[in-house]
Amino acid sequence: MDKTDAKIAMEELTMMLIYLSHFTEQDRFANKDDKYAWKGYNFDVLNKLDEKDYIRQGSHRAKSMYITKEDRVFFSVEIEKVLNSIHVSGTGLELMPKLNPGKSVVRLAVKKKNAGDDDNDDEDAETNVPFQIAYAVSIHKAQGLEYNSVKIVITKEVDEMITHNIFYTAITRARENLKVYWTPESQKKILDSFINDETSYDAKIFSARTGLKIIKKRVV
């Protein structure tokens, strides 16, 4: 199990408790969607959360604080490279304490959006969460199954294993939307490996699935 920095863990735990104990102002001039919480936590942790703009403490005399950015999702990612503040300056990334030597941890924030199988990549980049919960199965296990949207990930470690039949099985799992994630090198290697031999069986299957007619063209 990966270790979590104690200070980061304390901040995240405090933020969770703050959110779970939040309340809304009943004043008629207050926004009903604004969330507040009582100041009953470690001052150093609250100051750190204030610096990161997770909360706004306002006056030191105030007994409550305003919760900000509850419409955002935060991700901490470990990178196989040593970074410093100059590297992340102006990128929107926050450099976090290191967990392992020779690596760096950065944190990024994106706006929340409604869950769903959305294939629109043209939205504001701030609303595109770089990670999405999804079901992943191997191509072999996916035989006989169909999905409205399918994403195929082919890495260089497995591109030599992708035969014509395997690739055909993979891409025909999609009813509506299909995306293939591979490098240009893997794409060329896989497509170049396909042999144009007897394809009548595949053509019949494709015709049955799509309703297209097979036209036999004689090559002279």
Side-chain angles (χ1 to χ4, degrees):
M1 181 180 294
D2 295 334
K3 296 183 295 184
T4 301
D5 182 83
K7 292 183 179 180
I8 297 177
M10 182 61 71
E11 292 173 16
E12 293 179 348
L13 177 60
T14 301
M15 195 64 216
M16 180 184 69
L17 294 173
I18 289 173
Y19 190 82
L20 290 175
S21 61
H22 77 268
F23 59 88
T24 56
E25 291 284 6
Q26 300 300 317
D27 190 284
R28 63 190 180 93
F29 296 106
N31 188 327
K32 64 179 182 178
D33 296 324
D34 288 345
K35 296 179 175 60
Y36 300 84
W38 299 113
K39 293 180 180 178
Y41 305 92
N42 182 281
F43 287 121
D44 292 333
V45 176
L46 291 182
N47 289 337
K48 196 66 177 177
L49 294 175
D50 197 321
E51 290 176 7
K52 294 181 178 180
D53 201 26
Y54 296 169
I55 62 172
R56 294 175 188 167
Q57 300 184 76
S59 170
H60 290 292
R61 294 184 179 181
K63 296 182 179 179
S64 64
M65 53 193 163
Y66 173 69
I67 304 174
T68 63
K69 292 189 177 180
E70 67 273 7
D71 61 334
R72 289 177 175 261
V73 180
F74 294 88
F75 297 95
S76 293
V77 182
E78 188 172 54
I79 300 175
E80 302 283 336
K81 183 179 180 180
V82 177
L83 302 177
N84 56 40
S85 58
I86 297 177
H87 291 130
V88 300
S89 178
T91 63
L93 299 175
E94 179 184 358
L95 193 61
M96 310 300 291
K98 295 180 181 178
L99 300 178
N100 298 296
K103 300 180 181 180
S104 299
V105 178
V106 295
R107 175 179 287 184
L108 63 147
V110 293
K111 294 180 181 178
K112 287 183 181 178
K113 64 178 179 179
N114 293 332
D117 194 5
D118 187 359
D119 291 288
N120 183 13
D121 290 334
D122 297 328
E123 295 184 19
D124 186 347
E126 281 194 303
T127 66
N128 287 331
V129 179
F131 312 103
Q132 183 178 11
I133 296 176
Y135 294 101
V137 296
S138 66
I139 297 175
H140 176 72
K141 292 289 186 180
Q143 292 188 68
L145 302 176
E146 288 186 340
Y147 306 91
N148 290 332
S149 179
V150 171
K151 282 84 173 175
I152 303 171
V153 180
I154 302 176
T155 64
K156 63 180 181 180
E157 289 79 11
V158 299
D159 56 13
E160 294 183 352
M161 302 169 61
I162 306 299
T163 63
H164 177 273
N165 290 337
I166 291 176
F167 189 72
Y168 177 83
T169 299
I171 63 176
T172 54
R173 299 310 94 200
R175 293 194 189 98
E176 299 176 4
N177 300 303
L178 171 67
K179 288 185 180 181
V180 181
Y181 298 90
W182 50 9
T183 64
E185 295 76 16
S186 293
Q187 177 183 0
K188 186 177 187 308
K189 181 187 293 185
I190 292 171
L191 297 182
D192 288 350
S193 69
F194 294 164
I195 301 174
N196 187 18
D197 54 6
E198 180 57 50
T199 58
S200 60
Y201 178 72
D202 289 341
K204 290 178 181 178
I205 296 177
F206 186 77
S207 175
R209 289 173 58 88
T210 62
L212 298 175
K213 294 182 179 180
I214 300 175
I215 300 177
K216 295 183 179 180
K217 187 174 181 179
R218 190 174 182 181
V219 178
V220 180

